[in-house]
């Protein structure tokens, strides 16, 4: 008989406590405390959330699907300074930016977010901080840029990539007071996705100026090329952590190409297909700095949509049934009849 090790190349683990659902997904283990074999069955899907008050594209997003934020963007005919806050059910209007802008990066939490860079009659170096009520001017980026990406928190932020042409590889770190130049990315790009933290960030896809599949990881000092996306894309969204992230939507293979609904997840080593958005779109606001399970996607092309989608992940620990030994009959016999229940 073929064994588990012969199929999967490793023994079934013996654990005294069950691992987390994300660690255990697709695995089989033996719980020595309960004396049972277990596995995890996971389910993931996007679901509809509340609509934005203002349809917008090239907006930025902070927070997560339970406490989200979008700010700025292009709303039908002009850049907007509008901010909206999400409570997991619906959006409400927050404090306006100091100036209307689009193609900026927004990262942090709903009550402590940064918006930096962007475009308004030219690339911007401006940087603003949101405290959950209003925005205030902070020290500018060293290099003005738009269509950039960010990762981190309001006191430990990372800015990378962007325009103007040729696509930038510049990286800057923010310490809550000022920005400082750091080592460049290996491949300059614009319209890329970024997620993670200042010391564990991911830059995925983007334009160079044509769309690329290149992915790089930042360790707080330098960038390293890692496993590329399964396919090229740009103008897409991204969110999560370096070991539990994703990119979604976008355009491929170039700005005149079709909108994408597909999404791929990253575990810190490789990319794998995950459920697609309910509708294809690009230039999306949203994300999360926590993990895949808290990502949201708001607004975007085509048609300056107001729709919001939330990524939902659930898992169930399965304990297979098994036979166990009972007491012996008084004497061996065959061709006998039986009736009753297990205990009677």
């Amino acid at each position: 008989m073929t064994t588990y090790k012969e199929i999967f190349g490793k023994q079934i683990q013996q654990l005294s406590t069950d691992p987390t659902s994300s660690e255990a997904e697709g695995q089989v283990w033996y719980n020595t405390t309960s004396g049972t074999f277990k596995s995890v069955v996971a389910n993931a899907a996007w679901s509809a959330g509340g609509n934005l008050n203002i349809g917008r594209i090239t907006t930025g997003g902070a927070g997560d699907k339970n406490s989200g934020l979008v700010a700025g963007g292009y709303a039908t005919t002009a850049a907007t300074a509008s901010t909206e806050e999400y409570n997991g059910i619906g959006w409400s209007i927050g404090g306006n930016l100091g100036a209307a802008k689009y193609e900026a990066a927004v990262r942090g939490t709903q009550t402590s977010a940064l918006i930096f860079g962007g475009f308004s009659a030219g690339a911007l170096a401006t940087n603003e901080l949101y405290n959950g009520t209003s925005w205030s001017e902070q020290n500018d980026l060293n290099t003005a840029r738009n269509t950039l990406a960010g990762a981190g928190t309001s006191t430990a932020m990372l800015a990378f990539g962007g325009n103007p042409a040729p696509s930038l590889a510049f990286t800057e770190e923010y310490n809550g007071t000022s920005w400082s130049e750091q080592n460049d990315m290996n491949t300059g790009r614009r319209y890329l996705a970024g997620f993670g933290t200042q010391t564990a960030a991911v830059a995925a896809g983007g334009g160079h100026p044509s769309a690329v599949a290149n992915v790089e990881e930042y360790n707080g000092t330098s960038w390293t090329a890692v496993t590329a996306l399964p396919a090229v894309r740009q103008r897409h969204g991204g969110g999560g952590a370096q070991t539990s992230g994703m990119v979604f939507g976008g355009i491929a293979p170039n700005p005149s190409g079709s909108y994408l609904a597909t999404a791929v997840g990253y575990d810190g080593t490789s990319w794998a297909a995950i459920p697609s958005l309910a509708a294809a779109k690009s230039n999306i606001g949203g994300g999360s700095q926590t993990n895949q399970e808290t990502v949201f996607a708001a607004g975007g092309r085509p048609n300056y949509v107001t729709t919001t989608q939330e990524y939902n992940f659930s898992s169930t620990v399965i304990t297979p049934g098994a036979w166990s030994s009972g007491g012996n009959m008084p004497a061996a016999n065959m061709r006998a009849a039986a009736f009753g229940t297990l205990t009677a």
Side-chain angles (χ1 to χ4, degrees):
M1 181 179 70
T2 304
T3 66
Y4 184 86
K5 183 178 181 181
E6 288 172 331
I7 296 172
F8 294 102
K10 54 188 176 182
Q11 300 278 10
I12 294 177
Q13 296 184 81
Q14 296 189 44
L15 305 172
S16 59
T17 58
D18 294 338
T20 64
S21 294
S22 59
E23 293 173 332
E25 183 183 352
Q27 305 299 315
V28 176
W29 71 95
Y30 181 75
N31 187 306
T32 56
T33 302
S34 62
T36 53
F37 287 96
K38 294 187 175 183
S39 184
V40 165
V41 175
N43 296 291
W46 293 88
S47 62
N51 285 351
L52 290 165
N53 293 281
I54 300 173
R56 60 184 83 192
I57 64 173
T58 58
T59 184
D64 58 40
K65 70 179 184 181
N66 299 308
S67 182
L69 184 80
V70 296
Y74 199 89
T76 310
T77 60
T80 179
S82 170
T83 298
E84 298 191 40
E85 299 177 2
Y86 192 59
N87 63 4
I89 299 174
W91 292 92
S92 59
I93 300 296
N96 278 354
L97 296 168
K101 65 190 77 174
Y102 59 102
E103 294 181 344
V106 183
R107 279 293 183 258
T109 67
Q110 189 185 79
T111 57
S112 184
L114 289 180
I115 182 169
F116 44 97
F119 191 91
S120 178
L124 301 171
T126 54
N127 177 36
E128 297 184 48
L129 172 68
Y130 192 63
N131 62 7
T133 303
S134 59
W135 294 91
S136 59
E137 289 286 347
Q138 307 297 309
N139 287 318
D140 289 355
L141 291 163
N142 292 286
T143 301
R145 60 181 98 177
N146 57 301
T147 66
L148 71 163
T153 67
S154 62
T155 57
M157 189 64 71
L158 194 70
F160 45 97
N163 259 339
S167 300
L168 301 175
F170 297 158
T171 300
E172 298 186 41
E173 289 183 0
Y174 185 69
N175 61 7
T177 303
S178 58
W179 294 91
S180 59
E181 293 283 355
Q182 305 298 319
N183 290 315
D184 292 353
M185 290 191 294
N186 294 285
T187 302
R189 80 267 312 259
R190 57 192 179 187
Y191 293 116
L192 69 163
F195 56 86
T197 67
Q198 189 185 73
T199 57
V202 175
H208 181 60
S210 298
V212 298
N214 302 47
V215 177
E216 299 182 38
E217 289 184 355
Y218 186 70
N219 62 6
T221 302
S222 59
W223 292 93
T224 302
V226 294
T227 306
L229 294 169
V232 298
R233 69 175 74 201
Q234 61 178 324
R235 302 175 189 251
H236 47 293
Q242 192 180 72
T243 56
S244 178
M246 69 162 74
V247 299
F248 46 89
I251 292 178
N254 53 56
S256 62
S258 57
Y259 297 110
L260 298 173
T262 55
V264 288
Y266 187 61
D267 62 5
T269 302
S270 58
W271 296 89
I274 57 177
S276 296
L277 294 166
K281 57 182 177 177
S282 72
N283 302 86
I284 312 162
S288 165
Q289 66 184 45
T290 309
N291 53 42
Q292 284 185 17
E293 301 169 30
T294 59
V295 169
F296 71 97
R301 289 184 185 274
N303 303 324
Y304 304 88
V305 296
T306 59
T307 54
T308 299
Q309 295 181 50
E310 303 173 4
Y311 190 70
N312 301 291
F313 180 92
S314 62
S315 58
T316 304
V317 176
I318 304 297
T319 304
W323 291 93
S324 60
S325 298
N328 289 339
M329 297 178 67
N333 60 77
M334 61 186 293
R335 297 178 181 175
F339 59 91
T341 67
L342 178 69
T343 56

